[in-house]
Amino acid sequence: IVCSSAVSACTAGFQWMWALHVLCGMLQWNIEPNDHTFSAAISACERSQQWWRSLQILCDMQDSGVEPDVTICSASISACGRSHWEHALLLFGDMEALSVVPNVISYSAAITACEESQQNTHVF
């Protein structure tokens, strides 16, 4: 709980590097991060425009046996944003394979990525 709180605090302070440092430390010390820890780390990357790191965390999360939920997928889609709309749409499409049902936030994040990148032809 303490480590998850530390990652959340880093997220709130726009300190993505510290959030990832705590997460990596947890993995090295065999402290199992939960979905809240991973979600906070992804949000830290999203806020700091570190889209590729959010996707890496998503992979690390699955490797750790923690299944992503709609909040985590939506945050990762948002992290890809306008400059990497292709990745946003790929992740949106992968949600079904992850057994995650998209919600209004997921759809909004994917649509926003397309609109901001002027890829309106790809919008659902």
Side-chain angles (χ1 to χ4, degrees), residues 57-76:
I57 293 168
L58 189 61
C59 291
D60 292 344
M61 179 180 178
Q62 292 172 293
D63 291 344
S64 296
V66 178
E67 294 299 320
D69 61 13
V70 68
T71 303
I72 290 168
C73 289
S74 298
S76 295

Side-chain angles (χ1 to χ4, degrees), residues 2-23:
V2 172
C3 292
S4 292
S5 296
V7 173
S8 293
C10 293
T11 300
F14 294 90
Q15 298 295 321
W16 67 271
M17 286 194 299
W18 284 109
L20 295 186
H21 183 72
V22 172
L23 179 62

